[in-house]
Amino acid sequence: MDRNGGQLLVASLLALGARKSFGVPGESYLAVLDALHDTGGRLDYILCRNEGGAAFMAAAYGKLTGQPGICFVTRGPGATNASIGVHTAMQDSAPMILFVGQVGTDMKGREAFQEVDYRAVFGTMAKWAVEIDQVERIPEILSRAWTLAVSGRPGPVVIALPEDMLTSLTAAAPLSGPVEIAEAAPSAPAMRRLRQMLDGAERPVILYGGCNWAEGSMAAVQRFAEASDIPVVSVFRYQDQYDNGSPTFCGEAGVGMVPSVRDLLREADVILAVNNRFGANPTDGYTLFAVPQPRQRIVHVHGSDLAPGKVYRPALGIQAGPQPFPETLRAREPGRSGGAQWSADRRAAREKGFDLPDLPSPVDMGKVTAHLNAVLPDDVILTNGAGNFTVWPNKFFRFGAKARLLAPQSGAMGYGVPAAVAARVAHPGRTVVCFAGDGDFQMNCQELATALQHGAQPIILLVNNGIYGTIRAHQERHYPERVSGTTMVNPDFVALARSYGFHAERVESTADFPAAFERARASKTGALLDLVVSPEALTPRQTLSQMRKAALSAKETA
Ligand SMILES: Cc1ncc(C[n+]2csc(CCOP(=O)(O)OP(=O)(O)O)c2C)c(N)n1
Ligand SMILES: [Mg+2]
C-alpha cells in the first residue's frame, strides 16, 4: 500500500510510542496534519498559539516523561519562533524532536519564501539537525532521531520536511516498534577505582544533574549517600530529582549559590559527579574548580562519552547511565568520612537558610511558599521560567522524592506557563503549580488558550511586582538610580485569565492567600492568582533600596 510522506511519518511516530505532540499549523506540512486526522487522536496534536510555547511544551514534556517531546512547526517564521525550545531542551539535556516544514526540493537554495537552512541554523543548537530529502528514508531518519534524542546525553533533534517529500508516495513500510536502549553500565575495574578514591576521601561530595533519572535509581543514590554519610548537591534546577528530606541533601549549586553549597564544593576532596554537565551555574561561573585541572578529584559518571573531560579533566571518567550506575554502588564503612562534622555543618547551614525575615510586601512570598510546602501533594509538579521570583520554587520549596520541578537551565523567560500545560497534558490527574513573574508570564500567556482548549489548565501564581525585577536589581547594583527599560505597565491579569476561562483572583495580602489558594485548587477550570508583591521584596534578604544604597555608597568611596 502506498503512503505519502506525512502518513509514513505519523505511522512511524506511533510505532515509536509517540502519543502527544505540540504544534502550530502551517501550509508547509499539510500532509502531516492530514495524517494526524486519520489517527483519530491516537497521536494527539495539542494546538498551541505560538511556536515558542509549543516548543517549550515539547521540551518540558520530554524532560518530564523521558520520551521525546514532539513538536510540529512551519518553515522560517515558525522554526525561528520555536528555536527557544530547542535551546532550552539542549541546556536541560531533555529529549525532543522538532519537525519543521521546508520549501520544496525544487526551490531549495534560492532563498525561497520562508526558506531556512536548518542544518546551519540548528546545527550548533541541537544534538542533530537533518533534512529528509527522500520519502523512503523517513523511517530510518526517525529511528535515528528518536534514538539520539533519548540516549547518551538526551537532547533535541531538528528534522526538516520538504513539502514535496511529504506528498510523495512510497511503498516503504513504517517503523514497527519502539526503540529500546540499554544504558551503559560501569565496568568492575572502574567501580574498584571509584571505591579506592572514595575510601581515601575525607570530604567527598555527590553532585548530580540531568532529567533522565528513574525513581528507583535515585533511591539507590540516596541509600548509598545516607549509608556512607556523603553530602549530596544538585546542579542548577535539578533539586527535584533527589528527596530533599534526606539528611544528606545539602542544596542546589545554581544561580545565587548559597555559601554553604559553595564551600561544600570548594572544600571537597573527591566529587562524585553523576549524570550532570559542568555548566556555568554549578561551577559558580567556572570559578569553583580550576580549569582544566581541578584540585578536587572529579569522578565524572555520564551516559555520554562526550561528557567527562568537557571543561574539567576528570580524575576518573566512567561512561555509565543514571539507571545502572547507582545499582552498583556499595556503601562505605560507616564513620569512614573524616568530614562528617564538616558535612553536618553544611546541612545545618542549609536548614538555617529557611528562616526568613518578614518581607516588606503586601503578599510575602516566603510565607506563601512555606504554606505551599505544607499543603501541596507529594507528587506536585512545579514549573517556572526566569526572574527573581524563581527563588521561591527553586530555593525555598522542599522537593520530596515524587515532586517534580520543570524549570529551564537556560534561564529562559516564558517557560513556566507552557511547561505547566505540558505537565497537565502528561499527567492530567496531578496538581501542577506554575510560578510566574509578571514579565515572565507575559512571554507566553497566550498559551492559556491552549490550556483551555485541551483541558490542561494548571494553577498559576503570578508574582506581580510591576518590574523586570532581575534586570532592575542588576541595574541598581551597576547604575544606581538610573532606571531604564525595567518598569512595566501591566494589564488586568485577573480579567485576562478570566477571558481564557480560568478562575482568577487578585490577592492583596498574605493572610488572604491560603483561602484563595484553596479556591484555586478546587476550581475545575485552572486558576490564576495575581499576587500583589512589592518591588522592594525582590530577594529574600535584601531590598531593592538596600541594593541601590550599597551601590551608591560604593561609588562614593571609589
Ligand atoms: C526570553 C528571555 N528574555 C530576557 C531574559 C532576561 N531576563 C532575565 S530575568 C528578567 C526579568 C524577569 O522579570 P519578571 O518575570 O517580572 O520576574 P521578577 O524578576 O520581577 O521576579 C529578564 C528580562 C531572559 N532570561 N529570557
Ligand atoms: Mg516582575
Side-chain angles (χ1 to χ4, degrees), residues 496-542:
L496 180 79
R498 283 185 185 153
S499 75
Y500 286 110
F502 277 58
H503 167 83
E505 296 183 37
R506 189 166 163 86
V507 180
E508 301 198 355
S509 79
T510 310
D512 291 342
F513 180 78
F517 189 69
E518 278 323 297
R519 288 190 290 276
R521 277 180 84 174
S523 153
K524 299 254 182 293
T525 60
L528 179 142
L529 297 181
D530 178 13
L531 309 179
V532 180
V533 171
S534 165
E536 276 298 303
L538 205 52
T539 78
R541 293 193 173 80
Q542 196 184 25

Side-chain angles (χ1 to χ4, degrees), residues 23 36 49 86 131 134 139 162 167 202 225 231 251 259 321 380 387 404 423 425-426 498 506 515 549:
L36 286 169
R49 298 300 183 267
V86 176
E131 198 156 294
Q134 288 164 288
T167 52
E202 298 215 332
V380 67
R404 292 296 310 267
V425 167
R498 283 185 185 153
R506 189 166 163 86
K549 272 193 205 124

Side-chain angles (χ1 to χ4, degrees), residues 237 255 385-395 437 440 463 465 467-474 477 535 537-540 542 544 547:
R237 292 182 165 167
V255 171
N388 264 46
F389 68 94
T390 63
V391 73
W392 303 114
N394 291 180
K395 303 272 193 238
D440 176 62
V463 184
N465 58 11
I467 56 172
Y468 286 113
T470 302
I471 313 306
R472 174 69 64 84
H474 286 300
R477 284 194 196 106
L538 205 52
T539 78
Q542 196 184 25
L544 201 56
M547 285 176 214

Side-chain angles (χ1 to χ4, degrees), residues 93-176:
S93 309
M96 168 181 179
I97 303 178
L98 174 71
F99 292 98
V100 194
Q102 174 62 303
V103 300
T105 47
D106 54 334
M107 304 189 185
K108 255 177 27 193
R110 293 178 178 163
E111 198 184 341
F113 178 59
Q114 300 182 336
E115 183 179 359
V116 163
D117 178 347
Y118 297 107
R119 288 191 187 94
V121 169
F122 290 104
T124 55
M125 205 190 286
K127 263 188 105 173
W128 189 39
V130 64
E131 198 156 294
I132 308 182
D133 289 328
Q134 288 164 288
V135 68
E136 295 77 21
R137 296 191 64 187
I138 286 177
E140 171 204 337
I141 290 174
L142 242 60
S143 160
R144 179 167 167 195
W146 190 286
T147 309
L148 255 181
V150 298
S151 59
R153 178 185 160 199
V157 172
V158 177
I159 303 181
L161 307 168
E163 202 175 329
D164 53 337
M165 186 282 294
L166 283 178
T167 52
S168 302
L169 293 177
T170 174
L175 293 170
S176 60

Side-chain angles (χ1 to χ4, degrees), residues 345-365:
D345 291 349
R346 299 292 174 266
R347 281 174 219 147
R350 168 177 160 79
E351 281 310 309
K352 263 180 83 180
F354 283 92
D355 298 336
L356 284 174
D358 291 343
L359 296 180
S361 173
V363 173
D364 179 330
M365 285 304 295

Side-chain angles (χ1 to χ4, degrees), residues 155-223:
V157 172
V158 177
I159 303 181
L161 307 168
E163 202 175 329
D164 53 337
M165 186 282 294
L166 283 178
T167 52
S168 302
L169 293 177
T170 174
L175 293 170
S176 60
V179 169
E180 223 179 289
I181 297 160
E183 289 179 0
S187 69
M191 292 309 286
R192 276 199 295 279
R193 185 74 192 102
L194 169 62
R195 184 56 189 244
Q196 278 173 353
M197 290 170 75
L198 286 176
D199 280 352
E202 298 215 332
R203 293 182 306 280
V205 173
I206 294 172
L207 178 71
Y208 75 88
C211 60
N212 49 334
W213 287 92
E215 210 178 298
S217 57
M218 200 40 124
V221 172
Q222 186 176 343
R223 280 195 302 278

Side-chain angles (χ1 to χ4, degrees), residues 67-344:
Q67 295 264 305
I70 306 295
C71 188
F72 292 107
V73 301
T74 196
R75 296 174 294 226
T80 45
N81 265 350
S83 62
I84 193 168
V86 176
H87 182 252
T88 295
M90 192 69 213
Q91 293 232 317
D92 274 345
S93 309
M96 168 181 179
I97 303 178
L98 174 71
F99 292 98
V100 194
Q102 174 62 303
V103 300
T105 47
D106 54 334
M107 304 189 185
K108 255 177 27 193
R110 293 178 178 163
E111 198 184 341
F113 178 59
Q114 300 182 336
E115 183 179 359
V116 163
D117 178 347
Y118 297 107
R119 288 191 187 94
V121 169
F122 290 104
T124 55
M125 205 190 286
K127 263 188 105 173
W128 189 39
V130 64
E131 198 156 294
I132 308 182
D133 289 328
Q134 288 164 288
V135 68
E136 295 77 21
R137 296 191 64 187
I138 286 177
E140 171 204 337
I141 290 174
L142 242 60
S143 160
R144 179 167 167 195
W146 190 286
T147 309
L148 255 181
V150 298
S151 59
R153 178 185 160 199
V157 172
V158 177
I159 303 181
L161 307 168
E163 202 175 329
D164 53 337
M165 186 282 294
L166 283 178
T167 52
S168 302
L169 293 177
T170 174
L175 293 170
S176 60
V179 169
E180 223 179 289
I181 297 160
E183 289 179 0
S187 69
M191 292 309 286
R192 276 199 295 279
R193 185 74 192 102
L194 169 62
R195 184 56 189 244
Q196 278 173 353
M197 290 170 75
L198 286 176
D199 280 352
E202 298 215 332
R203 293 182 306 280
V205 173
I206 294 172
L207 178 71
Y208 75 88
C211 60
N212 49 334
W213 287 92
E215 210 178 298
S217 57
M218 200 40 124
V221 172
Q222 186 176 343
R223 280 195 302 278
F224 169 75
E226 288 175 358
S228 311
D229 195 23
I230 299 180
V232 175
V233 171
S234 150
V235 302
F236 186 41
R237 292 182 165 167
Y238 278 125
Q239 57 270 46
D240 60 314
Q241 304 283 351
Y242 193 81
D243 183 355
N244 295 186
S246 164
T248 54
F249 187 68
C250 287
E252 176 220 19
V255 171
M257 197 184 300
V258 293
S260 60
V261 171
R262 188 180 299 123
D263 293 349
L264 197 66
L265 292 172
R266 189 188 287 132
E267 295 164 10
D269 52 1
V270 173
I271 295 178
L272 174 56
V274 191
N275 197 43
N276 67 299
R277 64 185 182 87
F278 286 94
N281 293 315
T283 60
D284 212 8
Y286 301 103
T287 62
L288 270 180
F289 318 119
V291 179
Q293 179 85 56
R295 184 190 55 71
Q296 302 85 341
R297 302 214 292 165
I298 294 180
V299 180
H300 198 182
V301 184
H302 205 287
S304 165
D305 60 340
L306 300 177
K310 183 171 168 179
V311 189
Y312 297 108
R313 191 201 73 119
L316 173 65
I318 302 179
Q319 195 191 343
Q323 264 61 264
F325 173 75
E327 302 298 338
T328 61
L329 285 167
R330 299 287 166 266
R332 307 195 314 163
E333 284 163 40
R336 180 108 209 171
S337 166
Q341 188 56 47
W342 165 81
S343 59

